[in-house]
């Protein structure tokens, strides 16, 4: 019999499974709390359970945690990048950042990615598989234990497209915000999508208080399709209509991500068109000087270009930030570390 993935189970599922083993119901909370509050990685650590029960759990279930394969610490800003190994030998990345308000972990949702964005290292070899809810949670649990800290904020902006792994990501959100577990505030979570429109509509119905980030990166179909193949499936009209409906329904501000690539999407005309297209959407624009990945050939826009672009958006009444670069000495942007480690 195959062992069941206990860390991905909801409390109700876990309770049913424990009942099947013939255990009394007061065990449910104990086991769930060991998993999601104490963040143990083996049944042996569940010290208020008898040895026999720990063995029984081990015979029936498996805790799909992640193990630290490599850790890089930035010399400039204490940003830490983890390369985690999964139970089947695959690798994923997470980035731990320290802000004034606490620790934020950027987590992966897939091994690789199939979206094909031209500037991104995660997608160069396509997708290998989805992460389970357990494997998304474990990135947080292991980083917390490794540093003896509490992570207060999570961004789903690592490798992978969260809305291409919808069910597991929804289960992850349910578990990480559960009062009996980490009890993380939904408001401290950001989910970033390259524009999987049906996923945005599904998420809208959940009415979560999380922040939706949309990787827009271009104001027109022509430019966006040249950077992001997903735009050929759902174009900017369809995407921005979904975004407008999303903000109208949830009253939550969308964060539009815009990676500035020299000579591609960074002209003043692009800024003006962007302002026109985003009018009426409750939003914020985050300009990201593109991280230059060798294989992609994308060049970062100059500081002056970014300032000019930003001024035009501000003049049009938009809230704009330029992303602070953390961890640039440790390959901190998506997919770079996994890629480099596969080659060696
Ligand atoms: N698949 C999701 C989340 C992962 S990527 C998405 O596309 O939104 C997280 C963010 O990093 C996205 O905005 C993505 O477009 C951006 N990104 C990827 N590669 C980058 C690079 N080389 N430089 C700057 N931003 C990059």
């Amino acid at each position: 019999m195959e062992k069941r993935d206990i860390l991905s189970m909801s409390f109700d599922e876990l309770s049913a499974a424990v009942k099947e083993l013939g255990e009394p119901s007061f065990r449910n909370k104990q086991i769930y709390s060991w998993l999601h509050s104490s963040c143990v990685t083996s049944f042996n650590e569940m010290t208020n359970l008898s040895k026999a029960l720990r063995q029984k759990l081990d015979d029936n279930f498996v805790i799909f945690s992640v193990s630290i394969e490599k850790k890089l610490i930035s010399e400039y800003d204490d940003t830490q990048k983890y390369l985690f190994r999964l139970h089947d030998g695959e690798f994923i990345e997470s980035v731990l950042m320290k802000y004034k308000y606490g620790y934020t972990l950027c987590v992966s949702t897939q091994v690789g990615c199939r979206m094909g964005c031209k500037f991104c290292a995660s997608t160069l070899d396509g997708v290998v598989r989805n992460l389970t809810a357990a494997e998304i949670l474990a990135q947080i649990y292991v980083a917390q234990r490794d540093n003896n800290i509490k992570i207060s904020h999570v961004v789903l902006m690592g490798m992978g497209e969260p809305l291409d792994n919808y069910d597991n990501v929804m289960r992850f959100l349910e578990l990480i915000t559960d009062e009996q577990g980490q009890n993380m505030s939904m408001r401290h979570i950001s989910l970033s999508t390259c524009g999987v429109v049906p996923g945005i509509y599904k998420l809208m119905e959940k009415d979560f208080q999380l922040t939706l980030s949309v990787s827009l990166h271009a104001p027109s179909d022509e430019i966006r399709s040249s950077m992001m193949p997903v735009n050929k499936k759902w174009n900017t009209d369809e995407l921005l209509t979904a975004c407008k409906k999303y903000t109208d329904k949830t009253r939550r501000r969308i964060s539009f991500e815009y990676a500035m690539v020299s000579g591609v999407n960074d002209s003043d005309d692009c800024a003006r068109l962007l302002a026109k297209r985003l009018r009426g959407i409750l939003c914020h624009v985050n300009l990201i000087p593109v991280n230059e990945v060798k294989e992609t050939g994308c060049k970062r826009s100059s500081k002056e270009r970014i300032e000019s672009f930003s001024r035009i958006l501000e003049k049009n009444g938009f809230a704009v930030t330029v992303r602070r670069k953390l961890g640039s000495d440790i390959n901190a942007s998506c997919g770079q570390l996994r890629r480099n480690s596969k080659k060696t």
Side-chain angles (χ1 to χ4, degrees):
M1 195 188 72
E2 205 171 297
K3 293 187 186 185
R4 294 174 66 192
D5 171 6
I6 195 168
L7 197 60
S8 292
M9 289 180 184
S10 66
F11 181 73
D12 288 348
E13 285 171 358
L14 183 140
S15 304
V18 169
K19 194 171 175 190
E20 272 175 39
L21 293 186
E23 292 297 322
S25 60
F26 71 89
R27 294 288 182 210
N28 306 342
K29 270 197 176 162
Q30 289 178 327
I31 297 168
Y32 189 84
S33 165
W34 277 117
L35 292 170
H36 296 286
S37 182
S38 310
C39 305
V40 301
T41 53
S42 72
F43 295 107
N44 236 340
E45 294 170 76
M46 301 184 173
T47 46
N48 60 354
L49 310 184
S50 70
K51 279 230 166 83
L53 177 54
R54 286 184 240 165
Q55 187 58 51
K56 194 149 112 186
L57 292 174
D58 201 32
D59 292 341
N60 287 277
F61 303 110
V62 51
I63 304 172
F64 282 124
S65 190
V66 298
S67 58
I68 302 171
E69 177 77 12
K70 201 183 219 177
K71 180 164 91 164
L72 301 177
I73 303 177
S74 169
E75 286 178 25
Y76 309 136
D77 52 35
D78 287 338
T79 297
Q80 297 184 28
K81 178 134 188 175
Y82 286 96
L83 183 69
F84 287 124
R85 175 192 280 272
L86 308 179
H87 65 94
D88 58 356
E90 294 292 344
F91 295 109
I92 52 165
E93 303 175 2
S94 315
V95 182
L96 181 65
M97 291 157 287
K98 191 176 179 184
Y99 292 102
K100 278 192 217 83
Y101 51 76
Y103 285 97
T104 297
L105 192 72
C106 175
V107 299
S108 294
T109 54
Q110 295 178 312
V111 181
C113 183
R114 64 185 182 121
M115 295 297 142
C117 299
K118 294 288 192 294
F119 44 85
C120 180
S122 297
T123 198
L124 288 165
D125 297 325
V127 72
V128 177
R129 67 172 176 87
N130 285 333
L131 296 187
T132 59
E135 289 165 329
I136 307 174
L137 286 171
Q139 298 169 59
I140 300 164
Y141 296 177
V142 171
Q144 284 192 155
R145 283 185 96 182
D146 185 43
N147 293 281
N148 202 15
I149 54 167
K150 174 91 179 163
I151 290 170
S152 56
H153 293 67
V154 166
V155 295
L156 297 157
M157 290 190 187
M159 294 169 46
E161 165 54 47
L163 298 182
D164 191 37
N165 182 15
Y166 187 86
D167 292 340
N168 292 339
V169 167
M170 291 306 122
R171 173 54 62 87
F172 160 75
L173 291 173
E174 180 190 332
L175 290 169
I176 194 72
T177 54
D178 189 352
E179 283 173 16
Q180 293 186 70
Q182 295 293 309
N183 196 19
M184 188 176 284
S185 162
M186 201 54 107
R187 286 180 174 260
H188 290 183
I189 301 174
S190 293
L191 183 154
S192 182
T193 179
C194 66
V196 177
V197 168
I200 296 175
Y201 283 117
K202 272 206 279 181
L203 188 65
M204 178 173 96
E205 292 309 321
K206 299 260 182 197
D207 218 2
F208 284 152
Q209 292 292 295
L210 54 72
T211 298
L212 179 64
S213 289
V214 173
S215 302
L216 189 59
H217 302 323
S220 69
D221 282 325
E222 195 192 349
I223 303 174
R224 195 163 191 268
S225 293
S226 77
M227 300 170 75
M228 306 173 73
V230 68
N231 196 67
K232 293 176 191 149
K233 193 145 186 195
W234 299 288
N235 66 22
T236 53
D237 259 344
E238 291 167 283
L239 176 58
L240 294 174
T241 301
C243 290
K244 173 84 174 84
K245 288 188 178 153
Y246 186 92
T247 56
D248 287 348
K249 167 100 199 291
T250 62
R251 305 307 304 156
R252 299 285 295 161
R253 189 179 293 267
I254 286 183
S255 171
F256 285 106
E257 308 295 304
Y258 198 102
M260 303 282 294
V261 187
S262 180
V264 174
N265 63 356
D266 63 348
S267 67
D268 287 351
D269 277 349
C270 282
R272 282 188 280 269
L273 182 56
L274 182 64
K276 199 168 136 198
R277 306 271 330 254
L278 295 186
R279 196 152 294 140
I281 304 179
L282 185 64
C283 71
H284 163 268
V285 180
N286 191 17
L287 300 176
I288 314 162
V290 78
N291 258 301
E292 296 176 2
V293 177
K294 205 169 61 254
E295 292 86 340
T296 66
C298 292
K299 288 270 164 282
R300 178 177 303 155
S301 304
S302 68
K303 215 167 149 242
E304 296 72 44
R305 205 53 334 268
I306 297 174
E307 272 165 20
S308 171
F309 197 98
S310 163
R311 256 197 314 276
I312 292 171
L313 290 175
E314 279 170 353
K315 251 192 245 155
N316 279 275
F318 290 94
V320 186
T321 46
V322 178
R323 183 176 293 173
R324 206 155 57 95
K325 257 178 63 184
L326 292 178
S328 54
D329 56 330
I330 53 167
N331 290 324
S333 48
C334 338
Q336 292 185 32
L337 184 60
R338 167 172 175 261
R339 203 170 161 72
N340 292 342
S341 83
K342 277 207 307 188
K343 280 187 294 203
T344 52

